[in-house]
Amino acid sequence: MSYKPSAPSVRLDQLAAWRALLEHRDEIAGQHMRDWFAGAGANARVEQFSLHAAGLYLDYSKNRITDKTRTLLAHLARECHVPAKRDAMWAGEHVNVTEDRAALHVALRAPQGAAFRDAAGDVSAGVHQTLARMRAFSERVRDGRWLGATGKRIRHLVNVGIGGSDLGPRMVCDALAVYGRAELTAHFIANIDPTELARTLPTLDPQTTLVVVCSKTFTTLETMTNARTIRAWFLANGIPESALGKHFVAVSTNADEATRFGIDRENVFEFGEWVGGRYSLWSSVGLIIMLYLGPQHFDALLAGAHAMDEHFRTAPLEANMPVLLGLLGIWYRNFFDAQTLSIAPYTDALQKLPPYLQQLDMESNGKSVQIDGTPVAWQTAPIIWGEPGTNGQHAYFQMLHQGTTLVPVDFIAVLEPQYEGAAYLEHHRKLLANCFAQSEALLQGGSMATSEQAGSPLGAQRRFDGNRPSNTIVIDKLTPERLGALIALYEHKIFVQAAVWDINPFDQWGVELGKTLCRAIEPELLDPDTLRPGAHDASTASLIRLAGEALRRRKG
Ligand code: F6P
């Protein structure tokens, strides 16, 4: 299915809505959000700028927006053909133009009976066959029918993967650990740096360990190096080569390479090329999630994402949560020059959400050419960063409140604690109080100066200007279903922004150059004498020599 993107015939920054938004920004420049909350209209503002979708509640009233802003932003989305681009993605068109692929992650969480297609035909049947295989396998492992080489039950699950083959599953397993079983632990090995391996391997019993080698390509340097080291660890610890199949399974689109590594073909869980790495946790890349949490919880994760998909597909733009989040991001990125977006989940369970969103957002939209290859003349992906609250409050929130840079914040609040107990309830109450206090302080500003300090230098230090924007996403309980909806919300938000910026969110050419250069440098580190004059800039060459000599000393 060839994709003909409906790019605007006029440049984005020449569109009527864009120009109107510029004017409108200047119109409201002198206004303070707190005035919009004053008086009789305050509750109406919250009603006007909040909505429920897929079990999530978004309050976006603490933004520098009026009704007119929202109307103009929705107009911009229409002028940029966001609905048509969304429908093209749903229809399996090759929206990933540079790789000539569909981007059908929504098909992965659609229920039985859905009929998604790409150029090669139906994809939904394959999705459900793989899910059925994953379920059968997970159940065998979880109920002890799948045993290790020495007849022992599996107790340790290890996912070996990086980027999209790590961050999503790692984040979900961590967020939903309360749904796991005490007798099964999940571990993740990603980096080529051996620290994670060196710390994890001694905690594992090879006889009870199952490794999932997870790589779309099955050629990624980090994953393949780590997988080989773990393979050697099994062999060195009494598991014979003939029985390694009891301890290794693979997740990949490249079954041939996985079998060459030594994994039985029936233990390779495949997925389609049309699943992008950072959009893949819903596919067999989520096998570790299913093994750890059980098929039922994995199904709930998919159901939550599907509910958000349906909302995104059908809700009007002005009442569409991912569209609104995307457009608000554009408002600050392109009209207020906000360079970053801070993600502040008020629960440690979501501590891995910011790094997950870094890949999702920045690998998707960190682009500077449009679909047709011409340079963009506007800013694209913001820098994504953040830490769970309240920790962030005692670190960088100072800058959010009083720094010179505008940093929009997404607060994520969970109403019910994950852990039972009166003492924990008190913690949770304090946690939520902090979350709401921070967004209130950012909005309202104010002064902590005493009357004597007013007008003094100390009084100035103790002033908060406020008028700093934030969204608050409220989740009743951090269940698999709600987490699925939350992740899908961000996936679609990022898609909306890419559609407006006219960039392809589904490729990642920017990661390739470094990989190529690394292949040349590694042998030079092994033998610095192979360094050819002029092969590198002087700085890089001297670093290679420095490290190469240190490594040589270590070897000797
Ligand atoms: O280097 C970036 C990247 O290609 C990501 O896009 C991807 O998620 C990651 O590497 C891992 O790739 P693979 O799943 O093929 O090992």
Side-chain angles (χ1 to χ4, degrees):
M1 260 164 267
S2 70
Y3 176 60
K4 289 193 196 68
S6 352
S9 44
V10 190
R11 247 175 61 156
L12 173 62
D13 52 359
Q14 304 300 321
L15 290 173
W18 187 278
R19 284 188 282 114
L21 279 162
L22 278 175
E23 261 176 43
H24 171 65
R25 178 201 56 195
D26 296 343
E27 252 163 50
I28 62 166
Q31 300 185 32
H32 198 293
M33 279 192 280
R34 74 175 156 242
D35 298 329
W36 297 336
F37 278 93
N43 289 338
R45 181 168 173 88
V46 177
E47 246 169 65
Q48 198 181 6
F49 297 119
S50 63
L51 79 161
H52 292 266
L56 308 184
Y57 171 66
L58 168 67
D59 178 343
Y60 62 103
S61 61
K62 293 187 179 90
N63 277 293
R64 290 200 205 167
I65 57 165
T66 64
D67 203 25
K68 182 173 174 189
T69 327
R70 185 173 55 191
T71 303
L72 290 175
L73 285 169
H75 186 194
L76 180 69
R78 281 190 195 92
E79 282 196 295
C80 294
H81 309 284
V82 170
K85 291 177 180 177
R86 174 197 61 201
D87 295 347
M89 175 171 75
W90 243 263
E93 290 186 35
H94 283 196
V95 292
N96 179 356
V97 281
T98 60
E99 296 180 317
D100 195 16
R101 285 177 189 159
L104 272 175
H105 40 285
V106 290
L108 296 166
R109 52 242 190 171
Q112 288 272 12
F116 281 91
R117 302 174 64 78
D118 81 342
D122 172 72
V123 301
S124 295
V127 165
H128 287 281
Q129 275 158 17
T130 303
L131 274 172
R133 284 188 61 218
M134 287 166 64
R135 280 188 200 107
F137 176 68
S138 300
E139 270 155 11
R140 284 176 70 197
V141 171
R142 287 169 62 83
D143 66 21
R145 279 175 295 136
W146 177 285
L147 300 171
T150 56
K152 290 192 177 166
R153 281 180 78 147
I154 299 300
R155 300 292 184 206
H156 303 288
L157 306 164
V158 182
N159 191 78
V160 181
I162 196 164
S165 298
D166 167 74
L167 290 164
R170 190 192 286 253
M171 183 267 288
V172 172
C173 287
D174 194 51
L176 301 176
V178 291
Y179 292 86
R181 282 187 190 162
E183 68 271 17
L184 261 184
T185 57
H187 308 263
F188 292 83
I189 307 286
N191 203 341
I192 191 71
D193 173 82
T195 305
E196 224 166 21
L197 264 182
R199 288 181 183 169
T200 307
L201 290 181
T203 69
L204 305 176
D205 171 1
Q207 300 181 46
T208 61
T209 297
L210 177 70
V211 177
V212 181
V213 185
C214 186
S215 172
K216 181 171 176 180
T217 53
F218 229 78
T219 56
T220 302
L221 172 90
E222 291 89 339
T223 303
M224 299 329 297
T225 309
N226 283 327
R228 279 194 296 273
T229 302
I230 297 176
R231 192 174 188 278
W233 170 81
F234 274 112
L235 295 175
N237 284 281
I239 305 295
E241 182 143 15
S242 58
L244 278 179
K246 301 272 182 210
H247 295 274
F248 271 102
V249 297
V251 169
S252 188
T253 56
N254 189 350
D256 290 343
E257 205 51 52
T259 47
R260 261 196 289 283
F261 177 84
I263 293 174
D264 298 339
R265 203 166 188 110
E266 73 261 24
N267 296 332
V268 180
F269 295 84
E270 291 186 71
F271 59 100
E273 285 287 0
W274 43 265
V275 183
R278 54 195 171 274
Y279 298 87
S280 66
L281 71 87
W282 324 98
S283 71
S284 48
V285 168
L287 182 62
I288 182 102
I289 303 174
M290 199 190 266
L291 284 163
Y292 182 48
L293 302 179
Q296 185 198 346
H297 293 314
F298 190 77
D299 288 348
L301 186 80
L302 299 184
H306 177 67
M308 185 56 76
D309 293 342
E310 282 306 284
H311 166 76
F312 177 51
R313 191 176 66 80
T314 58
L317 297 182
E318 290 84 350
N320 191 312
M321 204 181 274
V323 172
L324 288 166
L325 268 195
L327 293 174
L328 286 165
I330 283 171
W331 182 227
Y332 296 118
R333 185 77 187 101
N334 298 115
F335 296 88
F336 290 80
D337 201 24
Q339 300 200 344
T340 81
L341 168 67
S342 186
I343 306 290
Y346 270 66
T347 165
D348 277 347
L350 289 177
Q351 63 177 307
K352 295 187 168 53
L353 184 70
Y356 167 76
L357 291 179
Q358 281 176 337
Q359 187 200 17
L360 191 65
D361 202 326
M362 293 158 79
E363 201 175 72
S364 294
N365 285 351
K367 312 280 165 68
S368 49
V369 289
Q370 295 176 77
I371 299 268
D372 67 3
T374 55
V376 293
W378 41 88
Q379 296 295 332
T380 60
I383 296 159
I384 304 292
W385 60 291
E387 280 288 324
T390 60
N391 295 359
Q393 290 174 210
H394 299 274
Y396 55 79
F397 268 52
Q398 160 66 39
M399 182 262 205
L400 302 187
H401 288 289
Q402 289 188 317
T404 51
T405 306
L406 180 77
V407 182
V409 185
D410 280 1
F411 289 96
I412 301 171
V414 182
L415 299 184
E416 274 191 45
Q418 271 193 331
Y419 296 91
E420 298 294 331
Y424 290 156
L425 201 58
E426 181 198 333
H427 287 247
H428 202 71
R429 198 169 54 241
K430 290 178 173 161
L431 177 74
L432 289 174
N434 270 282
C435 178
F436 304 149
Q438 291 302 319
S439 63
E440 183 172 44
L442 287 168
L443 159 75
Q444 297 280 359
S447 175
M448 297 291 289
T450 59
S451 49
E452 296 82 60
Q453 290 165 349
S456 73
L458 185 55
Q461 310 286 352
R462 303 193 72 185
R463 250 182 69 82
F464 295 75
D465 291 335
N467 212 20
R468 297 179 181 232
S470 67
N471 294 306
T472 304
I473 299 169
V474 182
I475 304 174
D476 49 357
K477 190 173 177 198
L478 191 58
T479 59
E481 202 166 349
R482 296 292 184 262
L483 182 61
L486 182 71
I487 301 168
L489 168 64
Y490 277 102
E491 283 181 349
H492 295 319
K493 170 213 158 161
I494 290 162
F495 176 82
V496 167
Q497 297 189 329
V500 171
W501 289 325
D502 191 33
I503 55 178
N504 177 6
F506 300 117
D507 61 12
Q508 57 285 318
W509 299 106
V511 303
E512 295 303 329
L513 180 59
K515 288 184 191 173
T516 307
L517 297 182
C518 170
R519 279 194 284 276
I521 292 175
E522 202 205 330
E524 293 165 347
L525 284 173
L526 196 61
D527 180 2
D529 298 339
T530 61
L531 246 182
R532 282 168 297 113
H536 302 279
D537 60 85
S539 159
T540 308
S542 98
L543 291 169
I544 295 171
R545 246 179 254 110
L546 181 77
E549 275 151 25
L551 289 169
R552 193 185 273 176
R553 277 198 298 277
R554 183 68 191 247
K555 210 169 134 199

